[in-house]
Every structure is written in C-alpha cells, then in structure tokens.
Amino acid sequence: MDFLVFPDHPAADRLAARLPRTPATRTVPHLSGRPWIVGHWRREELVTARIGPRCAVLLGTTSATSSELARLLRRLRSLDDLCDLRHELPGSFFLLAYMGPRVRCQGTLSTVRRLHRTCFGGVTVLGSRPQDLAALAREATAAGLPGAPGTGTVDEEALAARLLAPAAPLPLALRTPWRSIHAVPPDHCATYDAHGVHREVRWWRPPEPDVPLPDAAEAVRETLGAAVHARTRSAAVSADLSGGMDSASLCFLAARGGAGLVTTAWESRDPANDDPLWSAHSAYRLGRVRQEGRHLSLPYTDAPTWYTPPAHPSHTDPAGPLTAVREAARLVHQAQLVARYGSRLHLSGVGGDELFDLRAVALNSLARSDFRAAARQARRALRLGHRTLPATLRTLLGGRSYPRWLAAGADRITPGARHETTGADWECVPAMPSWAHPDAVATVRRLLREAAAADPEPFAALRAQHEAVRAAVRAGELVRGIDALTSAHGVAYETPFLDDAVIEAALAVRLDDRARTGCYKPVLAAAMRDIVPGTVLGRGTKGEHSAEVYTGLRRHRRALSALCEDSRLAALGLIRPEALRPVLTSLQPHTEALRPLDPTLAAEYWLRSLPEALPGTPSYGSVPAPAAGDRISAPAPEGA
C-alpha cells in the first residue's frame, strides 16, 4: 500500500499530473473533483464513507465496514471529533477525512502507519512513504515546478544520526534519510484549511497511569482481542509462536476466534535455548483449541543465517535503512514459506516487550508516587546484575528536563559501544560506533544541540509514559521495514500490540501494578488469564540468540568485510573502513560490542540499493503493480 495526499488547491493539479499512472492506480477525489488520495492498495485495505460534504477514509487493516464508518461520520461535529471516533475502529490504519474544504490526516501512534510531508512552492503534499515524495520532487524539478533545493536526495546528516546505537533520541529518530522530507510526529495530525494551507496539530497525549490492574487487564484483553480479530476475520493467517508470552497471546486469541492459523517457530542453534521447548508446548495446547491449521518448526539448517547480505534490492526497504537488517533474509524466507500455505498476513508479537516489560526509566516515575516500590525494584535489578549502583541512583533521582537531557547527551556522544544502554534519565544513552568518522561524530553532536535548543516536548511529562511511547515508535519503524520485505512476497506483517487502542490501554495501568514483583509482564499475564495456559504465562526463562549472531558473522565474514573496500558510507565521510574491518573479521567476546554493527550495515545496504545512475539519489519509489487478482479496471475505488 502506498499513497500521496494532495490539498484541494489549483496548484496541486500540476503536481498530481506528474505521477505515473497504471491500471492499478486508484484515486479518491476531493469534493471539488480534484485528486485527494492517489496510490495503490488492495480492495480490502480501503474503507470509505461519504455523506454529503463529508468523507472519511481508512487505509490499512481494520474490521470496520463502510456502513459502520458512515454511522460514525454522521456523529462528527468537527474534524477534531476524529480523536474520539478512533476508539471505535479496531485495527491499524491511516485515518483521512474531510468536511467540505477542510481536511485532516493522521497515522498511528506507533508509526506503523506514518505520514510524511514535503513542500512544493507553498503547496504541502503528504505521503505514506518518503521515497514516493522524493520521487515526486524529482519529477517536479524536471518539469520546472518549484520546490526546496535538493528535495529527494540523500540526507547525509540524517544518515550520520542513524549510526547511533542502540537508537537515536526521539527528535533525530523521526528524521527521514531524504532531504526536505519530514515525518509527521506520531502524536500529531496533518490538516489543510479551506485554502489548502497545511498545519500540524498535536492531538494525543498519553493517559494518566491511574487504572488499577483488574480494570486495566480487562481493557487490554478487549483491545488486544479486537486487534487480533481485525486481522483474522477473513484472510488466511500465519503467526509467530516463539514460546514467549507475546506471541502465545496473539495465537490463542486468534484460535478463540476460529481463525485457520499456521504457526511458526525457529529452531535454535543453541541447545541451551529453551524457546523451542516452550513453542512446542504452546503449539500442543493450541492444537486443542483451534479448529484447523498447523504448526511449522523451522529448522535453522534450511534457512538463511543472520547477517546474510541482501541478494536483491527488494530485500531492503526503499524508505530508509532497515532496522531488522540482521534477520532480513530469514524474514523473507519465512514469508515465502507461509505464503505457500496460503497465508496473506503474518502476526508478530512485536510491541509486547515495549508495552508490558518494565523498563528501567519507569523507576524514576514510580519513585514520584511510591518511592518504596521503586526502591524494591531497584534493589532487585542490582541483585540480578542488570544495572550498576550509580546508574540506578541516577534513574531514581534524576530530574533534568527533556531538552536539558538532550543537550547533555550531545557531550556524551563518543565513539565506542557502551555496556550500559538502559535509560538513566529519559531514553537509552546512545553511542556512535568506534568506526564512525570524527566528522560524523561532530555532526551528530551538533544535531543534538540544535534539537535541544528547539525546546522539544516529550511524549509525556512522566518518563515512564514517554519511554513506553518512544519504544513503540521504535518498534513501529522495525515493523514498517519488515512489512516492506514480506509484502513483496504477498504476506503483510502485522503487529496487534502496536494498535493505538492497545497502546492506550497499556499506558493507563497504574505504575505500581506494572512493576509488581514475582511475575513477568504482570499486566499482560492478568489480561490473558483463562485464554493462554497458565504454564505459558508462568514461564520464567527467556531465550538468548548469541549463537545466531556469531554463526551469521562467521559465515558471512568475507562478504561483510568486502563492504569496507568500497563503502558508500565511507564515500560520504561517515565511517572509517579501516576501523570497521577488524570488528568484522575478529572474534568478539561479547555480543554487546556488536550492537553498533546493525545500524551501520543497514545504512550501507540501503545506500547500495540506490541506482548507480543517480549516486545518492534513488529513482522513483513506486510500489510494483499489484498481482493480476488485485488489479481493477477503473481508477476510482469502491465507495469513493
């Protein structure tokens, strides 16, 4: 699915005319008849409702119907009421609507559905994918239409920030690798007024964490169940069943709804990893619930190893560096396999850890309401060796504002991996890799200082809430990239945990209930009681995957080290190949030292996927035309 959104403005007509048209191109018009939404999507990805001068469009995954959307549309007094309407529409989708000449568009909180924008001579165009806006900018430039200089070329400064590990702080994390193409923040919506003038307005803030566990568990159960139902009501479905609580929750919810479910689990190279045992146990218990389906145990001997270099540009994400770079080849292999069993949609438990696992920075927020409970959690973390005493005290007592934390972070951006990556104040403290060029390090420090000087507002004043949303946003980036890989093979990659309603239900739980001792993910465990077997909810171990890391690096050492010979990142002055090569060719006693490798490989492979004819500037990023079964004879969608 891809689309662009145009304002109802005469100047937009010339821009829309520059788009390549195929029989698969679809258009939803403005009330005036001008093109509003232009792109490619399957019929089941679109729900529309139109009543007089009002129109609402859902693009994505939802169980809502046109009649239900029309009923909700009648209740709207203004476009601001879409905030409330969203709660009655399960799923993950872009929500676009107009009332007369006024327009409002938004994605999802996790950025699984993320809007982007760029400006052409005062006309702002929105898009679901940044590469399509970049392509339109190049087409507009060739036609002599106005636009920002360099729009649609690679942004080297953004790529420098992408080298940060484990991740760039929030303001830089939202920056796209395309010059003059910006992401709409996940808690903002994009609007057009009657004259086509664009604005971005904050419409969402995290709820206060004041709901007691019994009520919160019920809300999580209802919202997660609705999210799973939105994906399993019609299509053939597959799902991860790794042996953990997150994937098991989705599978048992799907089985209760009668879905024909194909579950998958990877075998482990490490005999001490008990994930396969728990997966087999969950599959056995699931077999007693579901009416049809099967479980596939995926042998590592039949699948690509981690760090397999991409064999084709389609094994990367044109939007930007692929967060899941180390597992990309395995994810493609899995998608091809489940497609042969009829799956068109694959469920993943991504988002469960981000929402329900206790994060270190939450201790700071808990200490403000219940210092004794926070101290107990801190002592437990120290006993388990998860954190050092100085870091724990900084977390409990830290009081810097978010802009001050960002500014201080600029001074801490130094080359080399840190052993401690948990957030002491607001987010994880990142580091540039040891092979980063000094100029790249200086650039990232400057970007952080500039971001801090702009006095950015965090997602929430309470750090636990901010960090949970930031983690969901990071997970959304991961999911967008994986979906780009798997959808190319006919299998959408879906993550019910990252639906807006589920995120809000998880954030509403009281902090002391989230931090209950003696139970792993207490909120999710309470929500899934009597749905997921108690033995699975009570699992006290967690798989570890260093065997896959080392095997993949060893097997592909030659191909990886060859990247240093003609590195695109080095050509941009971002890394020093002579410092990267020893990391790729020598033994590393700890996988922690390899943490910065993934962002670097992701950026390198992405640059290599760009056409050689336009160094640093990709060609038009249009989605390939849908398969014959998805083609339509007319450009206008149903109901539009």
Side-chain angles (χ1 to χ4, degrees):
M1 176 180 65
D2 69 283
F3 62 87
L4 298 177
V5 181
F6 297 91
D8 192 359
H9 189 282
D13 291 338
R14 294 181 65 193
L15 291 170
R18 303 303 306 174
L19 295 176
R21 302 283 179 148
T22 73
T25 303
R26 304 185 179 196
T27 301
V28 180
H30 279 287
L31 193 63
S32 66
R34 291 193 181 100
W36 176 30
I37 308 170
V38 182
H40 311 86
W41 51 81
R42 299 191 305 272
R43 289 183 181 274
E44 61 269 23
E45 291 179 311
L46 173 75
V47 180
T48 63
R50 179 172 292 165
I51 301 173
R54 302 180 178 190
C55 181
V57 173
L58 309 181
L59 274 167
T61 303
T62 179
S63 57
T65 64
S66 294
S67 59
E68 291 171 338
L69 186 58
R71 175 178 56 82
L72 296 174
L73 186 59
R74 290 189 184 95
R75 288 168 30 193
L76 292 186
R77 294 166 299 177
S78 72
L79 289 176
D80 292 338
D81 292 341
L82 288 172
C83 296
D84 299 326
L85 177 150
R86 195 177 46 89
H87 292 283
E88 302 181 53
L89 299 169
S92 173
F93 45 80
F94 294 96
L95 174 56
L96 307 98
Y98 66 67
M99 296 181 69
R102 300 181 182 276
V103 179
R104 172 173 166 143
C105 311
Q106 64 191 62
T108 59
L109 297 175
S110 68
T111 73
V112 169
R113 316 287 185 189
R114 184 166 80 167
L115 285 172
H116 308 81
R117 62 172 169 82
T118 194
C119 189
F120 301 91
V123 175
T124 299
V125 179
L126 303 171
S128 60
R129 307 188 317 173
Q131 67 266 36
D132 294 339
L133 290 170
L136 179 61
R138 292 192 295 275
E139 292 287 337
T141 299
L145 299 177
T151 299
T153 59
V154 173
D155 186 339
E156 295 91 341
E157 290 190 350
L159 279 183
R162 291 289 184 113
L163 299 181
L164 284 165
L170 177 63
L172 302 188
L174 295 178
R175 187 166 173 172
T176 79
W178 303 91
R179 188 171 285 116
S180 300
I181 295 175
H182 310 280
V184 176
D187 52 358
H188 284 59
C189 65
T191 66
Y192 293 120
D193 67 14
H195 304 289
V197 177
H198 165 268
R199 289 183 61 213
E200 289 178 6
V201 181
R202 184 166 186 174
W203 65 270
W204 181 84
R205 295 181 187 275
E208 289 297 322
D210 55 9
V211 179
L213 185 59
D215 295 334
E218 182 178 353
V220 169
R221 181 166 53 249
E222 290 179 356
T223 55
L224 188 59
V228 171
H229 173 69
R231 293 159 170 86
T232 58
R233 60 194 180 98
S234 57
V237 176
S238 56
D240 292 331
L241 187 59
S242 64
M245 189 187 302
D246 303 334
S247 64
S249 297
L250 301 183
C251 290
F252 279 91
L253 284 170
R256 289 184 76 195
L261 192 64
V262 175
T263 54
T264 64
W266 293 102
E267 293 182 1
S268 176
R269 293 176 178 273
D270 183 358
N273 187 335
D274 62 349
D275 276 354
L277 295 176
W278 283 99
S279 175
H281 173 71
S282 296
Y284 169 74
R285 298 295 297 269
L286 189 65
R288 301 170 63 180
V289 177
R290 61 182 170 186
Q291 300 173 355
E292 55 180 315
R294 64 184 302 167
H295 179 68
L296 304 177
S297 181
L298 308 181
Y300 61 81
T301 53
D302 297 340
T305 57
W306 286 19
Y307 292 109
T308 298
H312 188 272
S314 66
H315 290 186
T316 58
D317 179 9
L322 184 67
T323 306
V325 61
R326 66 169 68 174
E327 295 181 82
R330 289 220 307 183
L331 291 163
V332 169
H333 171 80
Q334 182 187 45
Q336 293 171 331
L337 178 63
V338 297
R340 290 200 292 269
Y341 285 89
S343 174
R344 294 188 64 186
L345 185 151
H346 188 81
L347 298 179
S348 167
V350 172
D353 286 345
E354 287 76 4
L355 295 179
F356 298 107
D357 202 0
L358 183 66
R359 311 184 77 80
V361 73
L363 296 178
N364 182 280
S365 301
L366 182 59
R368 271 125 186 87
S369 58
D370 190 340
F371 189 84
R372 290 184 178 181
R376 286 195 299 270
Q377 287 292 333
R379 285 197 298 270
R380 182 170 180 265
L382 286 172
R383 287 198 303 270
L384 295 174
H386 293 167
R387 310 208 65 204
T388 63
L389 180 58
T392 301
L393 292 176
R394 286 198 306 271
T395 298
L396 283 173
L397 306 176
R400 283 184 294 190
S401 68
Y402 188 69
R404 287 183 58 201
W405 175 81
L406 276 177
D411 298 328
R412 295 187 305 229
I413 297 297
T414 56
R418 283 193 175 87
H419 290 291
E420 178 140 15
T421 57
T422 51
D425 282 337
W426 283 90
E427 302 174 21
C428 295
V429 178
M432 289 291 277
S434 59
W435 51 84
H437 193 282
D439 289 346
V441 176
T443 294
V444 172
R445 286 174 174 164
R446 174 176 56 80
L447 292 176
L448 278 173
R449 292 190 181 103
E450 291 174 353
D455 198 24
E457 189 178 4
F459 284 122
L462 204 58
R463 300 181 189 194
Q465 304 295 75
H466 169 85
E467 168 62 7
V469 179
R470 186 214 60 84
V473 168
R474 174 71 173 165
E477 180 184 2
L478 173 74
V479 171
R480 289 197 314 274
I482 296 175
D483 182 63
L485 301 181
T486 62
S487 291
H489 300 276
V491 180
Y493 194 83
E494 293 278 348
T495 50
F497 280 110
L498 293 178
D499 283 8
D500 287 4
V502 181
I503 291 175
E504 289 190 329
L507 292 176
V509 187
R510 288 190 312 198
L511 292 177
D512 54 343
D513 285 329
R514 294 189 212 174
R516 287 192 175 188
T517 58
C519 179
Y520 180 56
K521 297 183 180 176
V523 178
L524 183 59
M528 292 296 104
R529 190 173 295 120
D530 300 327
I531 296 175
V532 177
T535 51
V536 177
L537 296 178
R539 180 185 175 186
T541 60
K542 190 173 181 64
E544 196 270 338
H545 303 285
S546 59
E548 278 71 22
V549 171
Y550 288 126
T551 298
L553 289 175
R554 184 172 61 250
R555 181 162 299 179
H556 302 293
R557 182 176 298 159
R558 181 175 299 179
L560 293 173
S561 59
L563 297 174
C564 299
E565 303 300 327
D566 60 344
S567 169
R568 306 297 196 270
L569 288 171
L572 293 176
L574 299 178
I575 69 168
R576 297 177 297 120
E578 68 276 10
L580 173 59
R581 187 179 290 106
V583 177
L584 295 170
T585 58
S586 62
L587 294 175
Q588 300 293 334
H590 302 290
T591 56
E592 188 68 32
L594 299 170
R595 181 185 293 271
L597 187 58
D598 285 13
T600 297
L601 290 177
E604 180 69 34
Y605 287 141
W606 181 70
L607 288 172
R608 288 171 179 266
S609 72
L610 306 182
E612 292 289 344
L614 295 170
T617 306
S619 63
Y620 184 73
S622 158
V623 167
D630 290 330
R631 292 182 182 272
I632 59 173
S633 56
E638 287 184 319

